[in-house]
Amino acid sequence: MSAFLTVVRPGLFATIQDLGRFGFQELGMPVAGALDPVALRLANALVGNPQNMAGLEIALLGPVLRVDAAAVRIAAVGPLAMTLEREGEPARPLEPHRSHSLRQGDLLRLGAVDGASVAYLAVAGGFALAPVMGSLSSYVRAGIGPLGGRPLGQDDRLPLVRDGAPDGPPDEQDMELPQPPEYGVGPLRVVLGPQDDRFTEQALATFLSADYHVGKQADRMGLRLEGPALQHRGSADIPSDGLVTGSIQVPGNGQPILLLNDHQTAGGYAKIATVISADLPRAGRLRPGDRLSFQAVTVEEAEAIRRRQEQSIAGWIRAIRPVRPAGGIDLEALYAENLISGTVDIVNGGSDLPLL
């Protein structure tokens, strides 16, 4: 039996993404991939997938999907509203940050993404789609990737690797994160350069002290920021130079552009700084109107921060546990309490005297 998730309504902008298409930037091919790779990795972990497996990246408003398979297990990570419609039952909301087991004919309504630009849906076993240049990431601007590199469309059928419940825990045993992941707060941390010498001292001081906000021109390619203009020492233009995700270009108008996953691979504007890799998931979650600022760190500090982040992610994955039934007893919390003194008090009629 073939197994699919069928797109009943496509939503505003949902694409298939893994962690990226690496090794081809010298050919002009962007890495693409998940704007928030931490969320995708955690969604995959919740359904027992490898962390790099492709899932759905959902921006703004999600699709409506019908389960055309015997059973499927899904998990969403991110601030995503979800509703399950099952024949013969009232519609009910589904929580993110945990897995859910769905049946043949179920309708999964993925609603608004509230509080971030994107959220992610992973499916146990993944999608049975052919990779392009070693990746299932969608680069929409060039039409490269699964489904011709485009967002989901009406009546698309997303083939599933599995046509039934996954191996491992029984179908009714779903998994959860004890709490949503913490991304941190405060300024985005950057390493200055590689062309910070093309800016005045005042511009560098302003960049590291002022607040900016994300303008209306914001997509997977990058975020145009609005705030105090940054003055160059001379021209804003440089000979075309390599770019990376997190590069911050400053064109002649002095307004920074923070490049994201679908950025071009080379550009001719001076780059004042680069967002460190550990803060790229936070940058990828930014929406028009969001405020941000920057803090300079060294390369060594950036590497240490990334190592700590990987330790945190590994800890979150280790903490994944079976979902407790509604109204069930939290045995871990119960065992952590001092039950002996309570028993003593009850037996003694509430007295503080110990038993003899």
Side-chain angles (χ1 to χ4, degrees):
M1 172 184 174
S2 297
F4 298 90
L5 288 181
T6 299
V7 180
V8 178
R9 284 208 295 270
L12 290 182
F13 194 85
T15 57
I16 295 173
Q17 303 289 347
D18 55 24
L19 295 183
R21 181 174 290 106
F22 294 93
F24 301 99
Q25 291 190 82
E26 65 181 10
L27 304 177
M29 176 66 67
V31 171
L35 289 175
D36 180 356
V38 173
L40 177 60
R41 292 168 66 182
L42 293 175
N44 274 318
L46 283 166
V47 294
N49 289 344
Q51 294 181 36
N52 186 39
M53 189 164 281
L56 288 182
E57 180 178 274
I58 298 155
L60 302 177
L61 182 69
V64 179
L65 306 173
R66 184 179 67 241
V67 178
D68 290 327
V72 64
R73 181 171 290 155
I74 60 94
V77 172
L80 177 66
M82 297 189 293
T83 303
L84 173 64
E85 295 182 8
R86 178 171 289 166
E87 186 175 0
E89 300 180 12
R92 58 185 174 92
L94 299 182
E95 297 177 358
H97 308 117
R98 56 156 290 179
S99 66
H100 298 274
S101 297
L102 308 182
R103 306 174 191 167
Q104 177 85 35
D106 284 351
L107 276 184
L108 179 63
R109 295 185 179 272
L110 303 174
V113 180
D114 185 15
S117 63
V118 289
Y120 293 84
L121 184 82
V123 178
F127 298 109
L129 295 166
V132 177
M133 302 174 77
S135 171
L136 286 180
S137 283
S138 302
Y139 177 41
V140 174
R141 288 176 178 270
I144 294 170
L147 306 179
R150 60 171 173 77
L152 297 192
Q154 185 87 22
D155 299 325
D156 279 343
R157 303 185 78 197
L158 305 178
L160 305 177
V161 171
R162 295 172 174 165
D163 62 5
D167 298 331
D171 189 39
E172 66 273 8
Q173 186 64 83
D174 284 303
M175 309 298 286
E176 67 178 358
L177 287 163
Q179 58 188 17
E182 293 287 343
Y183 286 81
V185 295
L188 290 180
R189 291 160 292 191
V190 299
V191 173
L192 291 176
Q195 287 99 32
D196 53 312
D197 59 338
R198 300 293 295 261
F199 297 87
T200 66
E201 291 296 326
Q202 182 59 51
L204 291 171
T206 298
F207 175 70
L208 295 174
S209 61
D211 285 339
Y212 289 85
H213 68 269
V214 180
K216 294 180 179 179
Q217 292 181 285
D219 59 15
R220 285 185 48 86
M221 188 173 182
L223 310 173
R224 286 187 177 268
L225 308 183
E226 298 177 358
L230 302 175
Q231 185 177 358
H232 300 82
R233 290 186 183 274
S235 171
D237 298 329
I238 61 171
S240 287
D241 192 21
L243 298 170
V244 298
T245 303
S247 290
I248 301 176
Q249 292 184 309
V250 184
N253 65 3
Q255 298 296 301
I257 303 171
L258 199 170
L259 299 181
L260 297 179
N261 300 48
D262 288 359
H263 66 82
Q264 70 276 27
T265 59
Y269 293 133
K271 297 177 287 296
I272 194 169
T274 305
V275 176
I276 69 173
S277 62
D279 281 356
L280 289 177
R282 288 176 56 201
R285 291 161 56 89
L286 292 170
R287 304 163 297 168
D290 284 348
R291 303 191 71 82
L292 68 156
S293 59
F294 300 100
Q295 175 187 343
V297 298
T298 66
V299 171
E300 292 75 19
E301 289 171 330
E303 291 172 344
I305 292 167
R306 177 58 184 269
R307 285 192 292 269
R308 291 196 297 270
Q309 182 187 60
E310 288 300 316
Q311 292 169 356
S312 295
I313 294 169
W316 296 334
I317 291 173
R318 286 194 302 271
I320 290 174
R321 65 191 183 190
V323 173
R324 296 186 179 92
I329 297 175
D330 188 339
L331 292 178
E332 291 182 11
L334 189 64
Y335 293 151
E337 295 296 327
N338 181 1
L339 302 181
I340 299 300
S341 62
T343 303
V344 170
D345 288 347
I346 292 171
V347 174
N348 284 337
S351 169
D352 291 331
L353 296 176
L355 286 173
L356 298 177

